[in-house]
Amino acid sequence: MSSKDPVEEKKTTKKSTKKKTTTKNTSSKEITNESTKKVTGYIGQKVMKGDLIKLDLLGKTVPTAIDNTSVTFQVSNMDDAAKLPNFDPEKSHLYTPELVLVGEKSGSVFEKIGDLLTSGDIKYGEEKNIILDPKDAFGVRDPKNIEKMSYKKFMGIAKEKPRLGMEFRNEKTGKTGQVITVDQGRIRVDFNHPLAGRQVEYRVKPLERMDKFEDKVFAFISRRIPGLEQDKFPLDHNKSTNTLNITTPDFFGLQQGVGMSEFYVAYDLQNNLGLETVNFIHSYKKPPTPAPHDHEHDHDHDHDHDHEDEKVDLGKDDSIAEEIAKPTNKKSTTKKSTTSKKPIKKTTTSKK
């Protein structure tokens, strides 16, 4: 999961380029980034189609004659992130490499970057720079994506007064734009991507290849649910039924949004690793019963003290107290809470 929002703007003297997609080999650089220290064994090996890899990306806009600024919009390691003016070390999960199945058009990287990975011209640990034209990146600017609306309509949707540069989202259409003009009760909102119409430059560096089945599974889990420890998710893969059981930590299933995240993990595993069924097993263990306490009074029992006054009248709740006092042999409750089966393909035949 990489940070893809525009996060840095700086002046640069680099001239505008009108070249089409190009690559620049920087493999002679020594690898010093913390995120690349694991890949020593892969250096010198070519990235091949079908490899499941972690890919380090640094994306920024290319300056133009009109706009000589460069905006960094994607970083995927802590070293690059630390150079940003708004870097937050508490959000390290945002600055992680992209998980890419080389050769699959999954949308995790732009198509031209995918073509570079399958070309056989890039090796693990090697850096290459690639420039993408707008049509190959965030698209060209389309005047039709600039919408005019009345003040009343805007207020009915946004529920706040329009301000120049504010983000505007229409929940009905799902479109997000930016207010570009506010004039005499008329508002113009630009629904083009903020980087539409800009050339962008990526630094691309393949870091790691996952060969073991367990590592591949956990990589897909981490992409949807970051910040987890691999040994906390034991796997049971039944090859005969092509079923994978994933045991989660205690009470993991109670976390908000887990169900939807598990659905997407199952989708990734089924489509990328060919699994038929993915089960997530959630356990809810009974807490240990506290040891009985010896209730001794520190005061003298020979005084005139009415202990009957200390009794609590449970009334109708006596049955509840008796039920609580009953011993139980139940130790834990374990259930397969989420089962995702691969959809059955339906064939529709249309006869002339």
Side-chain angles (χ1 to χ4, degrees):
M1 183 184 303
S2 303
S3 176
K4 296 182 181 179
D5 297 324
V7 288
E8 179 189 23
E9 189 166 313
K10 58 184 179 181
K11 296 287 181 180
T12 176
T13 57
K14 186 173 180 179
K15 294 182 179 180
S16 172
T17 176
K18 295 184 179 180
K19 294 181 180 179
K20 293 185 178 180
T21 304
T22 57
T23 63
K24 179 173 60 177
N25 192 334
T26 58
S27 58
S28 60
K29 295 181 180 179
E30 183 181 357
I31 298 174
T32 58
N33 194 302
E34 288 293 326
S35 61
T36 63
K37 288 186 177 179
K38 292 171 126 184
V39 306
T40 305
Y42 298 100
I43 292 179
Q45 296 184 22
K46 291 183 178 180
V47 176
M48 304 295 291
K49 184 176 181 179
D51 287 357
L52 182 64
I53 70 172
K54 289 184 179 180
L55 185 68
D56 180 51
L57 294 171
L58 175 65
K60 57 185 179 180
T61 58
V62 175
T64 67
I66 299 175
D67 185 357
N68 67 341
T69 60
S70 179
V71 178
T72 299
F73 58 86
Q74 183 171 3
V75 294
S76 55
N77 67 69
M78 291 292 287
D79 287 354
D80 286 334
K83 300 174 185 176
L84 303 178
N86 60 346
F87 170 64
D88 185 353
E90 298 298 323
K91 297 181 179 179
S92 59
H93 63 282
L94 297 176
Y95 315 118
T96 55
E98 289 286 349
L99 184 65
V100 178
L101 183 60
V102 179
E104 290 292 322
K105 300 182 186 293
S106 61
S108 57
V109 294
F110 288 123
E111 185 175 347
K112 291 294 183 180
I113 296 177
D115 292 343
L116 171 62
L117 296 174
T118 57
S119 67
D121 293 332
I122 189 168
K123 302 173 183 178
Y124 287 98
E126 179 181 23
E127 286 184 6
K128 286 199 174 185
N129 286 14
I130 181 170
I131 294 176
L132 306 182
D133 289 331
K135 63 183 178 63
D136 298 318
F138 296 100
V140 296
R141 292 189 62 79
D142 186 353
K144 294 179 181 179
N145 288 332
I146 299 177
E147 182 179 338
K148 295 180 181 180
M149 64 181 69
S150 66
Y151 182 88
K152 182 178 179 180
K153 180 180 179 181
F154 184 94
M155 288 293 296
I157 298 174
K159 309 300 182 185
E160 60 177 308
K161 293 181 179 181
R163 304 183 311 277
L164 195 63
M166 74 176 288
E167 183 179 279
F168 173 84
R169 179 169 177 78
N170 190 331
E171 296 294 343
K172 291 184 179 179
T173 62
K175 296 195 303 181
T176 299
Q178 186 180 43
V179 176
I180 57 175
T181 60
V182 180
D183 184 28
Q184 297 181 352
R186 304 293 293 181
I187 295 96
R188 294 171 72 228
V189 181
D190 187 356
F191 288 103
N192 286 289
H193 190 281
L195 298 178
R198 296 292 298 266
Q199 278 190 324
V200 297
E201 182 176 10
Y202 274 94
R203 185 196 68 203
V204 181
K205 182 191 297 183
L207 298 179
E208 184 178 358
R209 184 182 71 218
M210 276 139 289
D211 295 324
K212 294 182 179 179
F213 176 78
E214 294 81 3
D215 294 338
K216 293 180 180 180
V217 170
F218 189 72
F220 283 112
I221 294 175
S222 298
R223 180 165 73 168
R224 300 295 184 177
I225 316 173
L228 304 177
E229 298 179 31
Q230 184 167 352
D231 59 354
K232 299 292 180 64
F233 290 80
L235 308 178
D236 179 18
H237 183 205
N238 188 325
K239 295 182 179 179
S240 62
T241 61
N242 202 16
T243 298
L244 177 65
N245 293 326
I246 304 173
T247 301
T248 65
D250 293 347
F251 301 102
F252 179 78
L254 297 179
Q255 298 182 40
Q256 186 176 7
V258 163
M260 185 59 68
S261 297
E262 289 178 346
F263 170 80
Y264 284 117
V265 170
Y267 177 85
D268 288 342
L269 295 175
Q270 290 166 343
N271 285 275
N272 294 290
L273 299 186
L275 291 167
E276 190 67 27
T277 304
V278 178
N279 297 319
F280 289 89
I281 302 174
H282 301 291
S283 298
Y284 304 95
K285 295 181 180 179
K286 180 182 177 182
T289 304
H293 296 285
D294 186 11
H295 298 286
E296 293 183 356
H297 295 288
D298 295 330
H299 57 279
D300 187 2
H301 285 270
D302 293 336
H303 61 75
D304 295 333
H305 182 70
D306 190 0
H307 287 273
E308 291 298 324
D309 293 338
E310 296 181 3
K311 291 183 179 179
V312 177
D313 184 11
L314 295 175
K316 294 182 180 180
D317 292 331
D318 283 343
S319 60
I320 299 176
E322 293 172 3
E323 185 67 24
I324 294 174
K326 289 181 181 180
T328 177
N329 293 324
K330 295 181 180 179
K331 294 182 179 179
S332 65
T333 300
T334 303
K335 66 177 182 179
K336 293 181 181 179
S337 66
T338 305
T339 301
S340 177
K341 294 187 177 180
K342 198 170 187 177
I344 299 174
K345 292 183 179 180
K346 294 183 180 181
T347 303
T348 303
T349 303
S350 178
K351 295 183 180 182
K352 189 174 181 179

